PDB file of all heavy atoms in Angstrom:
ATOM      1  N   GLY A 223      25.990   5.087   0.055  1.00  0.00           N
ATOM      2  CA  GLY A 223      26.185   6.273   0.881  1.00  0.00           C
ATOM      3  C   GLY A 223      24.922   7.070   1.148  1.00  0.00           C
ATOM      4  O   GLY A 223      24.993   8.165   1.740  1.00  0.00           O
ATOM      5  N   ASP A 224      23.788   6.560   0.726  1.00  0.00           N
ATOM      6  CA  ASP A 224      22.515   7.271   0.915  1.00  0.00           C
ATOM      7  C   ASP A 224      22.024   7.042   2.349  1.00  0.00           C
ATOM      8  O   ASP A 224      21.495   5.984   2.679  1.00  0.00           O
ATOM      9  CB  ASP A 224      21.483   6.761  -0.090  1.00  0.00           C
ATOM     10  CG  ASP A 224      20.165   7.534  -0.030  1.00  0.00           C
ATOM     11  OD1 ASP A 224      19.980   8.329   0.907  1.00  0.00           O
ATOM     12  OD2 ASP A 224      19.325   7.321  -0.926  1.00  0.00           O
ATOM     13  N   HIS A 225      22.203   8.031   3.192  1.00  0.00           N
ATOM     14  CA  HIS A 225      21.874   7.878   4.608  1.00  0.00           C
ATOM     15  C   HIS A 225      20.376   7.761   4.859  1.00  0.00           C
ATOM     16  O   HIS A 225      19.967   7.287   5.925  1.00  0.00           O
ATOM     17  CB  HIS A 225      22.457   9.048   5.407  1.00  0.00           C
ATOM     18  CG  HIS A 225      23.949   9.144   5.316  1.00  0.00           C
ATOM     19  ND1 HIS A 225      24.788   8.127   5.734  1.00  0.00           N
ATOM     20  CD2 HIS A 225      24.756  10.128   4.838  1.00  0.00           C
ATOM     21  CE1 HIS A 225      26.046   8.475   5.523  1.00  0.00           C
ATOM     22  NE2 HIS A 225      26.060   9.676   4.977  1.00  0.00           N
ATOM     23  N   THR A 226      19.556   8.170   3.914  1.00  0.00           N
ATOM     24  CA  THR A 226      18.105   8.045   4.119  1.00  0.00           C
ATOM     25  C   THR A 226      17.676   6.579   4.170  1.00  0.00           C
ATOM     26  O   THR A 226      16.630   6.260   4.746  1.00  0.00           O
ATOM     27  CB  THR A 226      17.328   8.759   3.003  1.00  0.00           C
ATOM     28  OG1 THR A 226      17.587   8.110   1.745  1.00  0.00           O
ATOM     29  CG2 THR A 226      17.721  10.225   2.916  1.00  0.00           C
ATOM     30  N   LEU A 227      18.505   5.708   3.592  1.00  0.00           N
ATOM     31  CA  LEU A 227      18.163   4.284   3.598  1.00  0.00           C
ATOM     32  C   LEU A 227      18.380   3.652   4.966  1.00  0.00           C
ATOM     33  O   LEU A 227      17.999   2.499   5.187  1.00  0.00           O
ATOM     34  CB  LEU A 227      18.982   3.550   2.541  1.00  0.00           C
ATOM     35  CG  LEU A 227      18.739   3.988   1.094  1.00  0.00           C
ATOM     36  CD1 LEU A 227      19.657   3.227   0.142  1.00  0.00           C
ATOM     37  CD2 LEU A 227      17.281   3.788   0.696  1.00  0.00           C
ATOM     38  N   ASN A 228      18.999   4.394   5.885  1.00  0.00           N
ATOM     39  CA  ASN A 228      19.156   3.907   7.246  1.00  0.00           C
ATOM     40  C   ASN A 228      17.900   4.138   8.086  1.00  0.00           C
ATOM     41  O   ASN A 228      17.789   3.607   9.195  1.00  0.00           O
ATOM     42  CB  ASN A 228      20.333   4.605   7.934  1.00  0.00           C
ATOM     43  CG  ASN A 228      21.652   4.332   7.243  1.00  0.00           C
ATOM     44  OD1 ASN A 228      21.894   3.221   6.791  1.00  0.00           O
ATOM     45  ND2 ASN A 228      22.503   5.342   7.151  1.00  0.00           N
ATOM     46  N   GLN A 229      16.991   4.908   7.544  1.00  0.00           N
ATOM     47  CA  GLN A 229      15.764   5.237   8.271  1.00  0.00           C
ATOM     48  C   GLN A 229      14.658   4.227   7.952  1.00  0.00           C
ATOM     49  O   GLN A 229      14.771   3.425   7.030  1.00  0.00           O
ATOM     50  CB  GLN A 229      15.299   6.656   7.878  1.00  0.00           C
ATOM     51  CG  GLN A 229      16.359   7.717   8.053  1.00  0.00           C
ATOM     52  CD  GLN A 229      16.851   7.814   9.489  1.00  0.00           C
ATOM     53  OE1 GLN A 229      16.062   7.781  10.429  1.00  0.00           O
ATOM     54  NE2 GLN A 229      18.169   7.928   9.662  1.00  0.00           N
ATOM     55  N   TYR A 230      13.566   4.300   8.728  1.00  0.00           N
ATOM     56  CA  TYR A 230      12.397   3.505   8.388  1.00  0.00           C
ATOM     57  C   TYR A 230      11.835   3.997   7.064  1.00  0.00           C
ATOM     58  O   TYR A 230      11.806   5.200   6.785  1.00  0.00           O
ATOM     59  CB  TYR A 230      11.312   3.634   9.457  1.00  0.00           C
ATOM     60  CG  TYR A 230      11.664   2.993  10.782  1.00  0.00           C
ATOM     61  CD1 TYR A 230      11.734   3.754  11.942  1.00  0.00           C
ATOM     62  CD2 TYR A 230      11.911   1.628  10.875  1.00  0.00           C
ATOM     63  CE1 TYR A 230      12.038   3.174  13.161  1.00  0.00           C
ATOM     64  CE2 TYR A 230      12.215   1.031  12.083  1.00  0.00           C
ATOM     65  CZ  TYR A 230      12.282   1.810  13.232  1.00  0.00           C
ATOM     66  OH  TYR A 230      12.586   1.224  14.431  1.00  0.00           O
ATOM     67  N   GLY A 231      11.344   3.055   6.262  1.00  0.00           N
ATOM     68  CA  GLY A 231      10.742   3.421   4.989  1.00  0.00           C
ATOM     69  C   GLY A 231       9.241   3.220   5.001  1.00  0.00           C
ATOM     70  O   GLY A 231       8.649   2.827   6.014  1.00  0.00           O
ATOM     71  N   SER A 232       8.635   3.466   3.885  1.00  0.00           N
ATOM     72  CA  SER A 232       7.191   3.280   3.738  1.00  0.00           C
ATOM     73  C   SER A 232       6.830   1.814   3.879  1.00  0.00           C
ATOM     74  O   SER A 232       7.540   0.934   3.353  1.00  0.00           O
ATOM     75  CB  SER A 232       6.742   3.789   2.362  1.00  0.00           C
ATOM     76  OG  SER A 232       5.439   3.330   2.050  1.00  0.00           O
ATOM     77  N   GLY A 233       5.746   1.534   4.575  1.00  0.00           N
ATOM     78  CA  GLY A 233       5.291   0.162   4.717  1.00  0.00           C
ATOM     79  C   GLY A 233       4.933  -0.469   3.394  1.00  0.00           C
ATOM     80  O   GLY A 233       5.120  -1.684   3.201  1.00  0.00           O
ATOM     81  N   ALA A 234       4.437   0.322   2.464  1.00  0.00           N
ATOM     82  CA  ALA A 234       4.059  -0.203   1.149  1.00  0.00           C
ATOM     83  C   ALA A 234       5.271  -0.516   0.295  1.00  0.00           C
ATOM     84  O   ALA A 234       5.223  -1.398  -0.565  1.00  0.00           O
ATOM     85  CB  ALA A 234       3.161   0.790   0.423  1.00  0.00           C
ATOM     86  N   GLY A 235       6.373   0.193   0.538  1.00  0.00           N
ATOM     87  CA  GLY A 235       7.572  -0.009  -0.254  1.00  0.00           C
ATOM     88  C   GLY A 235       8.159   1.303  -0.729  1.00  0.00           C
ATOM     89  O   GLY A 235       7.478   2.346  -0.716  1.00  0.00           O
ATOM     90  N   LEU A 236       9.422   1.286  -1.142  1.00  0.00           N
ATOM     91  CA  LEU A 236      10.032   2.485  -1.704  1.00  0.00           C
ATOM     92  C   LEU A 236       9.205   2.966  -2.894  1.00  0.00           C
ATOM     93  O   LEU A 236       8.831   2.160  -3.745  1.00  0.00           O
ATOM     94  CB  LEU A 236      11.459   2.186  -2.175  1.00  0.00           C
ATOM     95  CG  LEU A 236      12.567   2.066  -1.116  1.00  0.00           C
ATOM     96  CD1 LEU A 236      13.879   1.695  -1.798  1.00  0.00           C
ATOM     97  CD2 LEU A 236      12.717   3.355  -0.340  1.00  0.00           C
ATOM     98  N   PRO A 237       8.940   4.266  -2.978  1.00  0.00           N
ATOM     99  CA  PRO A 237       8.115   4.771  -4.087  1.00  0.00           C
ATOM    100  C   PRO A 237       8.610   4.348  -5.467  1.00  0.00           C
ATOM    101  O   PRO A 237       7.805   3.972  -6.333  1.00  0.00           O
ATOM    102  CB  PRO A 237       8.184   6.291  -3.895  1.00  0.00           C
ATOM    103  CG  PRO A 237       8.369   6.460  -2.418  1.00  0.00           C
ATOM    104  CD  PRO A 237       9.265   5.326  -2.001  1.00  0.00           C
ATOM    105  N   ASP A 238       9.929   4.373  -5.688  1.00  0.00           N
ATOM    106  CA  ASP A 238      10.457   3.982  -6.997  1.00  0.00           C
ATOM    107  C   ASP A 238      10.190   2.509  -7.285  1.00  0.00           C
ATOM    108  O   ASP A 238       9.896   2.126  -8.430  1.00  0.00           O
ATOM    109  CB  ASP A 238      11.958   4.243  -7.078  1.00  0.00           C
ATOM    110  CG  ASP A 238      12.292   5.716  -7.206  1.00  0.00           C
ATOM    111  OD1 ASP A 238      11.368   6.519  -7.446  1.00  0.00           O
ATOM    112  OD2 ASP A 238      13.482   6.065  -7.052  1.00  0.00           O
ATOM    113  N   LEU A 239      10.280   1.672  -6.249  1.00  0.00           N
ATOM    114  CA  LEU A 239      10.015   0.245  -6.443  1.00  0.00           C
ATOM    115  C   LEU A 239       8.537  -0.007  -6.669  1.00  0.00           C
ATOM    116  O   LEU A 239       8.163  -0.789  -7.554  1.00  0.00           O
ATOM    117  CB  LEU A 239      10.499  -0.552  -5.234  1.00  0.00           C
ATOM    118  CG  LEU A 239      10.233  -2.060  -5.273  1.00  0.00           C
ATOM    119  CD1 LEU A 239      10.821  -2.692  -6.534  1.00  0.00           C
ATOM    120  CD2 LEU A 239      10.783  -2.746  -4.028  1.00  0.00           C
ATOM    121  N   VAL A 240       7.698   0.636  -5.891  1.00  0.00           N
ATOM    122  CA  VAL A 240       6.252   0.466  -6.072  1.00  0.00           C
ATOM    123  C   VAL A 240       5.846   0.873  -7.482  1.00  0.00           C
ATOM    124  O   VAL A 240       5.060   0.178  -8.152  1.00  0.00           O
ATOM    125  CB  VAL A 240       5.473   1.283  -5.018  1.00  0.00           C
ATOM    126  CG1 VAL A 240       3.979   1.297  -5.340  1.00  0.00           C
ATOM    127  CG2 VAL A 240       5.700   0.703  -3.626  1.00  0.00           C
ATOM    128  N   LYS A 241       6.399   1.980  -7.962  1.00  0.00           N
ATOM    129  CA  LYS A 241       6.082   2.448  -9.317  1.00  0.00           C
ATOM    130  C   LYS A 241       6.531   1.435 -10.367  1.00  0.00           C
ATOM    131  O   LYS A 241       5.792   1.122 -11.319  1.00  0.00           O
ATOM    132  CB  LYS A 241       6.753   3.793  -9.567  1.00  0.00           C
ATOM    133  CG  LYS A 241       6.432   4.408 -10.926  1.00  0.00           C
ATOM    134  CD  LYS A 241       7.081   5.777 -11.085  1.00  0.00           C
ATOM    135  CE  LYS A 241       6.766   6.382 -12.443  1.00  0.00           C
ATOM    136  NZ  LYS A 241       7.418   7.726 -12.609  1.00  0.00           N
ATOM    137  N   ALA A 242       7.726   0.874 -10.188  1.00  0.00           N
ATOM    138  CA  ALA A 242       8.235  -0.121 -11.145  1.00  0.00           C
ATOM    139  C   ALA A 242       7.396  -1.394 -11.106  1.00  0.00           C
ATOM    140  O   ALA A 242       7.122  -2.006 -12.151  1.00  0.00           O
ATOM    141  CB  ALA A 242       9.699  -0.437 -10.830  1.00  0.00           C
ATOM    142  N   LEU A 243       6.976  -1.799  -9.926  1.00  0.00           N
ATOM    143  CA  LEU A 243       6.140  -2.998  -9.805  1.00  0.00           C
ATOM    144  C   LEU A 243       4.756  -2.767 -10.396  1.00  0.00           C
ATOM    145  O   LEU A 243       4.184  -3.669 -11.029  1.00  0.00           O
ATOM    146  CB  LEU A 243       6.021  -3.414  -8.340  1.00  0.00           C
ATOM    147  CG  LEU A 243       7.305  -3.964  -7.703  1.00  0.00           C
ATOM    148  CD1 LEU A 243       7.113  -4.170  -6.209  1.00  0.00           C
ATOM    149  CD2 LEU A 243       7.725  -5.272  -8.373  1.00  0.00           C
ATOM    150  N   GLU A 244       4.211  -1.594 -10.200  1.00  0.00           N
ATOM    151  CA  GLU A 244       2.907  -1.283 -10.789  1.00  0.00           C
ATOM    152  C   GLU A 244       2.970  -1.389 -12.307  1.00  0.00           C
ATOM    153  O   GLU A 244       2.046  -1.925 -12.940  1.00  0.00           O
ATOM    154  CB  GLU A 244       2.476   0.129 -10.373  1.00  0.00           C
ATOM    155  CG  GLU A 244       2.045   0.231  -8.921  1.00  0.00           C
ATOM    156  CD  GLU A 244       1.748   1.652  -8.493  1.00  0.00           C
ATOM    157  OE1 GLU A 244       2.197   2.599  -9.190  1.00  0.00           O
ATOM    158  OE2 GLU A 244       1.098   1.834  -7.450  1.00  0.00           O
ATOM    159  N   HIS A 245       4.069  -0.893 -12.891  1.00  0.00           N
ATOM    160  CA  HIS A 245       4.221  -0.979 -14.345  1.00  0.00           C
ATOM    161  C   HIS A 245       4.338  -2.436 -14.783  1.00  0.00           C
ATOM    162  O   HIS A 245       3.685  -2.854 -15.753  1.00  0.00           O
ATOM    163  CB  HIS A 245       5.464  -0.200 -14.773  1.00  0.00           C
ATOM    164  CG  HIS A 245       5.761  -0.299 -16.241  1.00  0.00           C
ATOM    165  ND1 HIS A 245       5.030   0.389 -17.196  1.00  0.00           N
ATOM    166  CD2 HIS A 245       6.701  -1.029 -16.920  1.00  0.00           C
ATOM    167  CE1 HIS A 245       5.510   0.101 -18.397  1.00  0.00           C
ATOM    168  NE2 HIS A 245       6.511  -0.755 -18.253  1.00  0.00           N
ATOM    169  N   LYS A 246       5.150  -3.217 -14.064  1.00  0.00           N
ATOM    170  CA  LYS A 246       5.334  -4.627 -14.404  1.00  0.00           C
ATOM    171  C   LYS A 246       4.023  -5.390 -14.296  1.00  0.00           C
ATOM    172  O   LYS A 246       3.660  -6.192 -15.176  1.00  0.00           O
ATOM    173  CB  LYS A 246       6.409  -5.224 -13.501  1.00  0.00           C
ATOM    174  CG  LYS A 246       6.682  -6.714 -13.721  1.00  0.00           C
ATOM    175  CD  LYS A 246       5.954  -7.589 -12.718  1.00  0.00           C
ATOM    176  CE  LYS A 246       6.290  -9.059 -12.890  1.00  0.00           C
ATOM    177  NZ  LYS A 246       5.480  -9.941 -12.040  1.00  0.00           N
ATOM    178  N   LEU A 247       3.284  -5.195 -13.223  1.00  0.00           N
ATOM    179  CA  LEU A 247       2.030  -5.922 -13.000  1.00  0.00           C
ATOM    180  C   LEU A 247       0.982  -5.583 -14.053  1.00  0.00           C
ATOM    181  O   LEU A 247       0.215  -6.450 -14.484  1.00  0.00           O
ATOM    182  CB  LEU A 247       1.498  -5.607 -11.601  1.00  0.00           C
ATOM    183  CG  LEU A 247       2.297  -6.212 -10.443  1.00  0.00           C
ATOM    184  CD1 LEU A 247       1.932  -5.528  -9.134  1.00  0.00           C
ATOM    185  CD2 LEU A 247       2.042  -7.713 -10.347  1.00  0.00           C
ATOM    186  N   ALA A 248       0.945  -4.327 -14.466  1.00  0.00           N
ATOM    187  CA  ALA A 248      -0.043  -3.907 -15.460  1.00  0.00           C
ATOM    188  C   ALA A 248       0.321  -4.385 -16.863  1.00  0.00           C
ATOM    189  O   ALA A 248      -0.535  -4.889 -17.604  1.00  0.00           O
ATOM    190  CB  ALA A 248      -0.195  -2.384 -15.437  1.00  0.00           C
ATOM    191  N   THR A 249       1.596  -4.255 -17.236  1.00  0.00           N
ATOM    192  CA  THR A 249       1.991  -4.549 -18.620  1.00  0.00           C
ATOM    193  C   THR A 249       2.304  -6.022 -18.849  1.00  0.00           C
ATOM    194  O   THR A 249       2.008  -6.575 -19.911  1.00  0.00           O
ATOM    195  CB  THR A 249       3.210  -3.706 -19.013  1.00  0.00           C
ATOM    196  OG1 THR A 249       4.294  -3.968 -18.105  1.00  0.00           O
ATOM    197  CG2 THR A 249       2.864  -2.220 -18.973  1.00  0.00           C
ATOM    198  N   GLU A 250       2.926  -6.689 -17.868  1.00  0.00           N
ATOM    199  CA  GLU A 250       3.316  -8.089 -18.050  1.00  0.00           C
ATOM    200  C   GLU A 250       2.265  -9.068 -17.526  1.00  0.00           C
ATOM    201  O   GLU A 250       2.067 -10.130 -18.126  1.00  0.00           O
ATOM    202  CB  GLU A 250       4.656  -8.355 -17.348  1.00  0.00           C
ATOM    203  CG  GLU A 250       5.826  -7.596 -17.947  1.00  0.00           C
ATOM    204  CD  GLU A 250       7.147  -7.967 -17.288  1.00  0.00           C
ATOM    205  OE1 GLU A 250       7.234  -9.050 -16.678  1.00  0.00           O
ATOM    206  OE2 GLU A 250       8.096  -7.164 -17.398  1.00  0.00           O
ATOM    207  N   ASN A 251       1.620  -8.725 -16.429  1.00  0.00           N
ATOM    208  CA  ASN A 251       0.664  -9.647 -15.813  1.00  0.00           C
ATOM    209  C   ASN A 251      -0.786  -9.324 -16.125  1.00  0.00           C
ATOM    210  O   ASN A 251      -1.666 -10.146 -15.876  1.00  0.00           O
ATOM    211  CB  ASN A 251       0.851  -9.675 -14.290  1.00  0.00           C
ATOM    212  CG  ASN A 251       2.240 -10.112 -13.876  1.00  0.00           C
ATOM    213  OD1 ASN A 251       3.018  -9.331 -13.347  1.00  0.00           O
ATOM    214  ND2 ASN A 251       2.582 -11.374 -14.114  1.00  0.00           N
ATOM    215  N   GLY A 252      -1.043  -8.142 -16.653  1.00  0.00           N
ATOM    216  CA  GLY A 252      -2.406  -7.773 -17.026  1.00  0.00           C
ATOM    217  C   GLY A 252      -3.339  -7.570 -15.848  1.00  0.00           C
ATOM    218  O   GLY A 252      -4.562  -7.694 -15.984  1.00  0.00           O
TER     219      GLY A 252
END
């Protein structure tokens, strides 16, 4: 029901996803 997801998003990615990926890349992939 989040209507903001119907809009265009950031080209880099959703901020929450980018943050989670940054953590994964740093801690798991080094």
Side-chain angles (χ1 to χ4, degrees):
D224 185 350
H225 299 300
T226 64
L227 298 178
N228 298 321
Q229 306 301 317
Y230 291 119
S232 165
L236 284 177
D238 286 349
L239 178 56
V240 171
K241 183 177 180 181
L243 291 173
E244 287 175 342
H245 176 75
K246 178 262 183 187
L247 289 164
T249 58
E250 295 184 21
N251 300 112

